[in-house]
């Protein structure tokens, strides 16, 4: 399989993919290794994961360059991801033992009642390319913490990063028969769906997530899906600083080239500040430097997948045909690389694909609203339910809006943010299940109830 640099369209490296024979051997190896790994103390497993974190920190620059080379993520943002994901390891250190240890529920009377949290077994982590550290750590580190073995399939667009995970985990002390990489495209993922595994944890598109859930349903094993989003942001007229709100919203929309599950994908602005907000927003986006992702100062690099350029072009053409106004961008860049100009459209409506279908690129629509009631109606008009944000000086008013939205995460005066202390979960087509927080620690376990009569 050729690994393509999306900025140059050149082959970085060719790697050997797995086949049915190698997948079978690796799965069997993991089944054997998991038995021994589950008997290691939680404290020892935590120490190994801490060592992994140290190894990553020692090689941040190299790892960031690998990530940039295969995904096109601007280098500074790649570096931010590698270092920022470390908060998951800190969370594991501070909370792992607390939430995985045996619980005594009742010790009164003749029967003691206890809960023990046992690992699921061997789990598949079919991961994503847009934030391989963040979404990968959310699954495979917590799965290892709980005593599971992990069949890790990196996206074919982040395979080199996935192989680095394996290298450093093994070096840190995770046994080679407890974490293994499965390299390849959809055909390798299909082999994992057919394998005798004890759980499936997927990050990616709604279409693929739905397929996985249907495919493995007869196995009656846990399935968790972190899927897409069409995340809204509403700017109320009482914001303290319209320009700053525009700057923050633009970063939420265009960071990582807009390729984030929780990126701002549609913006609603109160009509009394609409023109001022749009002006400040367009000015901010116009200041973004687009180019070589390895060059210092680049904020917009290429999109990772060439096929996405056609999706963005279709959304722009559809919006303009239906009356939208193109404020900036709207086309690809001539020459090599999968570049798309940061694009802003106004006078948009929900009749347009731009405001209904996931974009996953550097493009945004901004719509005017008359009041909070209209904003709530439009924000809820989606098949997704990952995150939603409100910018306002009035917390109570913002909360009244946020409380009416069917989303897994709600933001007040911030957006595009993930914390290991809080559950990361989606509603509707944004997925099912939980990672992060104490719930994300226990997501990789199965409880066993003990009734112990004296």
């Amino acid at each position: 399989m050729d690994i393509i640099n999306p900025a140059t369209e050149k082959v970085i490296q060719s790697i050997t993919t797995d086949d049915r024979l190698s997948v079978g051997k690796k799965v069997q190896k993991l089944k054997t290794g998991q038995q021994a790994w589950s008997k290691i103390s939680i404290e020892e497993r935590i120490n190994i994961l801490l060592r992994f974190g140290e190894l990553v920190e020692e090689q941040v620059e190299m790892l960031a360059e690998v990530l940039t080379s295969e995904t096109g993520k601007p280098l500074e943002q790649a570096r931010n991801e590698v270092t920022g994901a470390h908060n998951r390891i800190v969370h594991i250190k501070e909370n792992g033992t607390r939430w995985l240890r045996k619980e005594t529920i009742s010790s009164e009377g003749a029967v003691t009642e206890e809960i023990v949290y046992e690992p699921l077994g061997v789990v598949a982590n079919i991961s994503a390319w847009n934030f391989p550290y963040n979404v990968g750590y959310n699954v495979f580190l917590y799965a290892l913490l709980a005593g599971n073995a992990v069949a890790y399939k990196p996206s074919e667009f982040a395979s080199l990063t996935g192989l680095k995970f394996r290298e450093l985990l093994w070096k840190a002390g995770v046994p080679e028969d407890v974490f293994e990489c499965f390299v390849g495209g959809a055909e390798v993922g299909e082999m994992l769906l057919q394998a005798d595994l004890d759980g499936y944890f997927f990050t990616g598109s709604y279409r693929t997530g739905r397929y996985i859930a249907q495919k493995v349903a007869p196995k009656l094993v846990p399935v968790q899906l972190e899927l897409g989003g069409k995340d809204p942001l509403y700017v109320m007229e009482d914001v303290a600083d319209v320009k700053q709100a525009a700057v923050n919203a633009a970063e939420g929309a265009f960071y990582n080239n807009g390729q984030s599950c929780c990126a701002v994908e549609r913006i609603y602005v109160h009509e009394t500040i609409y023109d001022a907000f749009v002006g400040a927003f367009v000015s901010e986006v116009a200041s973004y430097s687009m180019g070589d992702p390895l060059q210092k100062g680049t904020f917009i690099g290429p999109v990772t997948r060439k096929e996405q350029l056609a999706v963005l072009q279709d959304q722009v053409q559809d919006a303009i045909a239906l009356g939208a106004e193109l404020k900036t961008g709207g086309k690809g860049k001539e020459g090599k690389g999968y570049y798309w100009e940061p694009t802003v459209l106004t006078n948009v409506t929900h009749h347009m694909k731009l405001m209904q279908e996931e974009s996953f690129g550097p493009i945004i629509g901004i719509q005017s609203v008359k009041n909070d009631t209209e904003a709530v109606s439009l924000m809820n008009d989606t098949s997704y339910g990952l995150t939603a944000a409100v910018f306002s000086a009035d917390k109570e008013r913002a909360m009244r809006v946020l409380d009416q939205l069917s989303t897994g995460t709600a933001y007040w005066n911030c957006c595009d943010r993930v914390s290991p202390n809080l559950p990361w979960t989606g509603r509707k087509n944004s997925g099912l299940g939980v990672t992060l927080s104490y719930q994300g620690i226990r997501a990789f376990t199965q409880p066993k109830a003990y009734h112990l009569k004296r």
Side-chain angles (χ1 to χ4, degrees):
M1 181 173 68
D2 290 339
I3 307 299
I4 307 295
N5 184 326
T8 64
E9 301 186 48
K10 293 181 179 179
V11 176
I12 305 169
Q13 188 176 333
S14 294
I15 58 178
T16 302
T17 57
D18 279 289
D19 56 22
R20 193 166 297 279
L21 180 62
S22 65
V23 167
K25 288 182 176 179
K26 287 181 177 180
V27 168
Q28 190 55 49
K29 181 180 71 170
L30 292 172
K31 284 181 173 293
T32 301
Q34 190 272 329
Q35 296 297 316
W37 179 248
S38 67
K39 293 178 173 58
I40 294 175
S41 70
I42 298 171
E43 291 77 12
E44 187 173 347
R45 293 200 293 264
I46 289 175
N47 286 335
I48 290 172
L49 298 181
L50 290 174
R51 176 57 181 152
F52 166 74
E54 292 170 355
L55 292 172
V56 170
E57 289 183 320
E58 290 170 6
Q59 303 182 62
V60 167
E61 289 305 314
M62 178 273 291
L63 295 171
E65 289 178 9
V66 169
L67 181 56
T68 293
S69 71
E70 62 180 347
T71 67
K73 186 191 297 280
L75 183 59
E76 183 177 352
Q77 296 177 28
R79 189 182 298 116
N80 290 344
E81 181 185 350
V82 177
T83 57
H86 187 75
N87 63 9
R88 275 71 166 173
I89 296 176
V90 174
H91 181 252
I92 284 171
K93 176 185 176 183
E94 295 176 349
N95 294 276
T97 303
R98 176 186 178 189
W99 296 108
L100 291 176
R101 67 189 173 199
K102 179 178 68 177
E103 288 185 297
T104 299
I105 304 303
S106 174
S107 59
E108 298 178 3
V111 178
T112 297
E113 299 173 342
E114 296 178 346
I115 304 174
V116 171
Y117 295 94
E118 297 181 342
L120 297 172
V122 180
V123 300
N125 177 194
I126 302 174
S127 200
W129 49 262
N130 59 325
F131 282 96
Y133 282 82
N134 290 339
V135 299
Y137 280 19
N138 290 1
V139 176
F140 69 73
L141 290 185
Y142 287 83
L144 292 169
L145 166 70
N148 300 280
V150 179
Y152 179 76
K153 186 201 172 297
S155 164
E156 57 268 42
F157 300 101
S159 296
L160 300 181
T161 294
L163 291 170
K164 286 296 181 185
F165 289 155
R166 183 180 69 177
E167 174 188 331
L168 296 180
L169 284 167
W170 286 1
K171 188 174 182 180
V174 174
E176 295 184 14
D177 56 2
V178 170
F179 183 93
E180 184 55 277
C181 263
F182 293 74
V183 178
E187 67 285 350
V188 174
E190 187 71 35
M191 294 172 196
L192 287 174
L193 300 185
Q194 296 169 6
D196 180 23
L197 299 178
D198 303 300
Y200 290 86
F201 297 80
F202 169 74
T203 303
S205 70
Y206 162 73
R207 184 179 66 177
T208 303
R210 180 178 175 182
Y211 174 79
I212 290 172
Q214 292 173 332
K215 188 78 173 182
V216 304
K219 298 183 181 185
L220 299 180
V221 297
V223 176
Q224 288 203 177
L225 308 170
E226 182 191 334
L227 308 179
K230 193 65 182 175
D231 299 356
L233 185 152
Y234 172 36
V235 185
M236 294 178 172
E237 79 282 3
D238 65 355
V239 287
D241 187 333
V242 173
K243 180 178 179 181
Q244 188 59 50
V247 169
N248 294 343
E251 182 177 19
F254 290 99
Y255 193 83
N256 194 35
N257 305 321
Q259 299 171 131
S260 171
C261 299
C262 58
V264 175
E265 288 232 352
R266 49 200 174 105
I267 298 175
Y268 306 97
V269 183
H270 194 279
E271 61 184 7
T272 58
I273 61 167
Y274 182 77
D275 290 341
F277 179 89
V278 168
F281 190 95
V282 172
S283 177
E284 175 65 14
V285 172
S287 73
Y288 291 161
S289 174
M290 182 175 74
D292 181 355
L294 289 173
Q295 185 174 336
K296 186 176 181 180
T298 296
F299 188 78
I300 301 291
V303 296
T304 304
R305 299 172 62 253
K306 184 178 182 179
E307 295 79 7
Q308 198 64 17
L309 295 174
V311 173
L312 300 174
Q313 184 67 57
D314 178 61
Q315 290 192 355
V316 169
Q317 292 176 345
D318 173 75
I320 292 175
L322 292 174
E325 181 180 350
L326 180 65
K327 287 293 188 179
T328 186
K331 63 183 185 299
K333 176 185 173 185
E334 293 185 4
K336 292 291 185 180
Y338 312 144
Y339 288 92
W340 184 266
E341 295 177 348
T343 299
V344 180
L345 294 112
T346 58
N347 297 331
V348 294
T349 72
H350 275 221
H351 297 294
M352 302 170 185
K353 295 178 182 178
L354 174 66
M355 300 299 281
Q356 289 288 308
E357 300 176 4
E358 190 172 25
S359 301
F360 225 66
I363 179 173
I364 194 72
I366 308 177
Q367 184 169 351
S368 173
V369 295
K370 290 181 170 57
N371 51 44
D372 296 355
T373 300
E374 184 182 10
V376 168
S377 176
L378 291 170
M379 294 170 87
N380 273 330
D381 181 26
T382 178
S383 60
Y384 293 100
L386 191 60
T387 80
V390 171
F391 285 5
S392 171
D394 186 339
K395 181 181 178 182
E396 289 186 8
R397 180 183 171 194
M399 290 297 292
R400 285 196 296 270
V401 169
L402 293 171
D403 288 347
Q404 297 178 69
L405 304 179
S406 181
T407 63
T409 293
Y411 301 114
W412 174 50
N413 289 338
C414 59
C415 57
D416 193 21
R417 181 181 188 275
V418 181
S419 167
N421 301 311
L422 296 175
W424 189 245
T425 181
R427 299 182 182 181
K428 299 185 285 187
N429 291 357
S430 289
L432 53 87
V434 177
T435 56
L436 301 178
S437 79
Y438 75 90
Q439 298 179 55
I441 293 174
R442 287 183 172 170
F444 299 94
T445 69
Q446 45 193 346
K448 179 182 287 185
Y450 281 87
H451 305 250
L452 307 173
K453 185 174 182 180
R454 283 185 283 275

Coordinates of all heavy atoms in Angstrom, one line a residue, residues 42 91 94-103 117 437-439 441-442 445:
I42 N -3.3 -3.5 38.0 CA -3.7 -2.2 37.4 C -2.6 -1.2 37.5 O -2.2 -0.5 36.5 CB -5.0 -1.6 38.0 CG1 -6.2 -2.6 37.8 CG2 -5.3 -0.2 37.4 CD1 -7.4 -2.2 38.6
H91 N -4.9 11.5 32.9 CA -6.2 11.1 33.4 C -6.2 9.6 33.8 O -6.8 9.2 34.9 CB -7.3 11.3 32.3 CG -8.7 10.9 32.7 ND1 -9.3 9.8 32.2 CD2 -9.6 11.5 33.5 CE1 -10.6 9.7 32.7 NE2 -10.7 10.8 33.5
E94 N -4.4 9.3 37.1 CA -5.1 9.8 38.3 C -6.4 9.0 38.6 O -6.9 9.1 39.7 CB -5.4 11.3 38.1 CG -4.2 12.1 38.0 CD -4.4 13.6 37.7 OE1 -5.6 13.9 37.3 OE2 -3.5 14.4 37.8
N95 N -6.9 8.3 37.6 CA -8.3 7.7 37.8 C -8.4 6.2 37.5 O -9.4 5.6 37.9 CB -9.3 8.4 36.9 CG -9.5 9.9 37.2 OD1 -10.3 10.2 38.1 ND2 -8.7 10.8 36.5
G96 N -7.3 5.6 36.9 CA -7.5 4.2 36.5 C -7.8 3.3 37.6 O -8.7 2.5 37.6
T97 N -7.0 3.4 38.7 CA -7.2 2.4 39.8 C -8.5 2.7 40.5 O -9.2 1.7 40.8 CB -6.0 2.6 40.8 OG1 -4.8 2.4 40.2 CG2 -6.2 1.6 42.0
R98 N -8.9 3.9 40.6 CA -10.1 4.2 41.3 C -11.3 3.6 40.7 O -12.2 3.1 41.4 CB -10.3 5.8 41.3 CG -11.6 6.2 42.0 CD -11.7 7.7 41.8 NE -13.0 8.2 42.3 CZ -13.4 9.5 42.2 NH1 -12.7 10.4 41.5 NH2 -14.6 9.9 42.7
W99 N -11.4 3.6 39.4 CA -12.6 3.2 38.7 C -12.6 1.7 38.2 O -13.6 1.2 37.7 CB -12.9 4.1 37.5 CG -13.3 5.5 38.0 CD1 -12.5 6.6 37.8 CD2 -14.4 5.9 38.7 NE1 -13.0 7.7 38.4 CE2 -14.3 7.3 39.0 CE3 -15.6 5.3 39.1 CZ2 -15.2 8.1 39.6 CZ3 -16.5 6.0 39.8 CH2 -16.3 7.4 40.1
L100 N -11.5 1.1 38.4 CA -11.4 -0.3 38.0 C -11.3 -1.3 39.2 O -11.4 -2.5 39.0 CB -10.2 -0.5 37.1 CG -10.3 0.1 35.7 CD1 -9.0 -0.1 34.9 CD2 -11.5 -0.4 34.9
R101 N -11.1 -0.8 40.3 CA -10.9 -1.7 41.5 C -12.3 -2.3 41.9 O -13.3 -1.7 41.6 CB -10.3 -0.9 42.7 CG -11.1 0.2 43.2 CD -10.3 1.0 44.2 NE -11.1 2.2 44.7 CZ -10.5 3.2 45.3 NH1 -9.2 3.3 45.5 NH2 -11.3 4.2 45.7
K102 N -12.2 -3.3 42.7 CA -13.4 -4.0 43.2 C -14.2 -3.0 44.1 O -13.6 -2.3 44.9 CB -13.0 -5.2 43.9 CG -14.1 -6.0 44.6 CD -13.7 -7.2 45.3 CE -12.8 -6.9 46.5 NZ -12.4 -8.1 47.3
E103 N -15.5 -3.1 43.9 CA -16.4 -2.3 44.8 C -17.2 -3.1 45.7 O -17.8 -4.1 45.3 CB -17.3 -1.5 43.9 CG -16.7 -0.3 43.1 CD -17.8 0.5 42.4 OE1 -18.4 -0.1 41.5 OE2 -17.9 1.6 42.7
Y117 N -14.7 -5.5 38.0 CA -14.7 -5.0 36.6 C -13.7 -5.8 35.8 O -12.5 -5.6 36.0 CB -14.5 -3.5 36.6 CG -15.6 -2.8 37.2 CD1 -15.5 -2.4 38.5 CD2 -16.8 -2.5 36.5 CE1 -16.6 -1.7 39.1 CE2 -17.8 -1.8 37.0 CZ -17.7 -1.4 38.4 OH -18.8 -0.7 39.0
S437 N -13.7 10.1 30.6 CA -14.3 10.2 31.9 C -14.3 8.9 32.5 O -13.7 7.9 32.0 CB -15.8 10.7 31.8 OG -16.7 9.7 31.4
Y438 N -14.8 8.7 33.7 CA -14.9 7.4 34.4 C -15.7 6.4 33.6 O -15.5 5.2 33.6 CB -15.4 7.6 35.8 CG -16.9 7.8 36.0 CD1 -17.7 6.7 36.1 CD2 -17.4 9.0 36.0 CE1 -19.1 6.8 36.2 CE2 -18.8 9.2 36.1 CZ -19.6 8.1 36.2 OH -20.9 8.3 36.4
Q439 N -16.7 7.0 32.9 CA -17.5 6.1 32.1 C -16.7 5.5 30.9 O -17.0 4.3 30.5 CB -18.7 6.8 31.5 CG -19.7 7.4 32.6 CD -20.8 8.2 32.1 OE1 -21.6 7.7 31.2 NE2 -21.0 9.4 32.5
I441 N -13.6 4.8 31.1 CA -12.7 3.8 31.7 C -13.4 2.5 31.8 O -12.9 1.4 31.4 CB -12.2 4.2 33.0 CG1 -11.2 5.4 32.9 CG2 -11.4 3.1 33.8 CD1 -10.8 6.0 34.2
R442 N -14.6 2.5 32.3 CA -15.4 1.3 32.5 C -16.0 0.8 31.2 O -16.6 -0.4 31.2 CB -16.5 1.6 33.5 CG -15.9 1.7 34.9 CD -17.0 1.9 35.9 NE -16.5 1.8 37.3 CZ -17.1 2.1 38.4 NH1 -18.4 2.5 38.3 NH2 -16.6 2.0 39.6
T445 N -14.8 -2.7 30.1 CA -14.9 -3.7 31.1 C -16.3 -4.4 31.0 O -17.3 -3.8 30.5 CB -14.7 -3.2 32.5 OG1 -15.8 -2.4 32.9 CG2 -13.4 -2.5 32.7

